[in-house]
Amino acid sequence: MSEKREKKYAIRQFIIEAARIYSEELAGKSFLYVYGNEYFEVSFPTDHFLHLTGVESMLTAKNFYKRAKKGQLTDKQFYFTSRHPFANAKKKLPSLKRIQELTNDAVCILKEMSTNTVVYKLSISNLEFTLGLTEDVDKDNNKLSDYYLPMSLRVEESSVEKSSDWEIVDFILVKDLSNRLYDKLLYIDENKRLPSLVHTLVSKELLEECKLGE
């Protein structure tokens, strides 16, 4: 196997493993991030996975994810360009395999993070890598839901400096998208109390079990 083929095969293996983790830990769920008296919700649609990998593909985003999750993605079904070079994918993919760390541990909530082309209203960072979020809107900018969606995975240490402000998360909760209320706690700052403005989003059982409503 040529060196070029070996490198692409290694990228393929990273993508397949990242897709498995994305499927098990993120897809089909929504996450509630609470910091101070502010909050937002994030969901992880399957058709947003491709953009996070740093590669390009002739497959649709949904088919790319489906084939990667099943381990059926071939090295001929993705490629690199000047806009999405090999080096960028190689840098991103190890962090994509760890993306669930942004949902179950202390993270920074970044506001108005600026890049060369986009300003992200909200982003989530563990200071090693950062997930830039976009609002759920259609092509005419009509809002489709209240969820924020993953738009870009950035591996750099300057994300905080590129933001207008930042906060440390106080709580992260999760629920299946099919459920109305959040019913599992993933992260808590033990010195904080869940603000009343999100109590209606959380199951009564979880509020009582974790004494979040006190």
Side-chain angles (χ1 to χ4, degrees), residues 1-126:
M1 185 182 292
S2 68
E3 181 180 357
K4 182 178 180 181
R5 185 77 182 274
E6 286 181 357
K7 288 181 177 180
K8 200 169 186 187
Y9 181 80
I11 292 294
R12 171 185 176 272
Q13 292 303 109
F14 265 117
I15 291 172
I16 288 172
E17 179 63 14
R20 181 189 65 78
I21 294 169
Y22 194 96
S23 172
E24 293 175 356
E25 304 291 340
L26 305 174
K29 301 177 182 180
S30 66
F31 299 83
L32 175 65
Y33 290 80
V34 185
Y35 50 106
N37 284 311
E38 298 182 79
Y39 72 93
F40 61 91
E41 298 173 89
V42 181
S43 72
F44 290 82
T46 57
D47 60 357
H48 279 236
F49 175 78
L50 169 58
H51 192 63
L52 301 178
T53 64
V55 306
E56 296 198 29
S57 176
M58 65 289 294
L59 301 174
T60 65
K62 286 188 176 181
N63 199 22
F64 179 92
Y65 169 77
K66 182 178 180 180
R67 294 187 66 84
K69 184 181 68 169
K70 292 182 176 180
Q72 297 173 345
L73 186 73
T74 72
D75 58 5
K76 294 181 179 179
Q77 291 174 327
F78 64 92
Y79 56 95
F80 310 103
T81 63
S82 58
R83 185 166 173 262
H84 292 107
F86 168 81
N88 197 34
K90 182 181 179 182
K91 184 179 179 181
K92 279 188 175 187
L93 283 165
S95 296
L96 184 56
K97 286 177 59 176
R98 297 171 52 201
I99 193 172
Q100 78 278 9
E101 294 177 21
L102 299 180
T103 67
N104 59 24
D105 205 349
V107 291
C108 290
I109 308 301
L110 309 182
K111 301 178 180 181
E112 306 295 338
M113 182 184 71
S114 300
T115 71
N116 291 334
T117 56
V118 181
V119 176
Y120 296 94
K121 183 178 179 180
L122 290 171
S123 303
I124 306 168
S125 178
N126 63 2

Side-chain angles (χ1 to χ4, degrees), residues 124-199:
I124 306 168
S125 178
N126 63 2
L127 304 185
E128 290 185 61
F129 52 91
T130 300
L131 186 65
L133 304 173
T134 182
E135 292 183 282
D136 186 14
V137 297
D138 63 19
K139 59 182 177 60
D140 297 316
N141 213 36
N142 297 310
K143 197 169 186 179
L144 299 176
S145 77
D146 291 329
Y147 291 117
Y148 280 82
L149 310 177
M151 181 176 178
S152 176
L153 184 65
R154 307 184 65 82
V155 183
E156 55 185 41
E157 298 178 353
S158 59
S159 294
V160 174
E161 288 80 359
K162 292 180 179 179
S163 304
S164 64
D165 197 7
W166 60 274
E167 305 274 355
I168 301 294
V169 74
D170 297 328
F171 302 88
I172 306 174
L173 299 91
V174 64
K175 69 179 177 72
D176 288 339
L177 281 171
S178 58
N179 294 341
R180 187 174 67 86
L181 299 175
Y182 287 88
D183 53 10
K184 184 177 180 182
L185 183 66
L186 296 178
Y187 173 78
I188 180 173
D189 180 337
E190 297 288 354
N191 297 314
K192 302 292 178 65
R193 288 290 175 263
L194 195 70
S196 59
L197 80 166
V198 296
H199 284 190

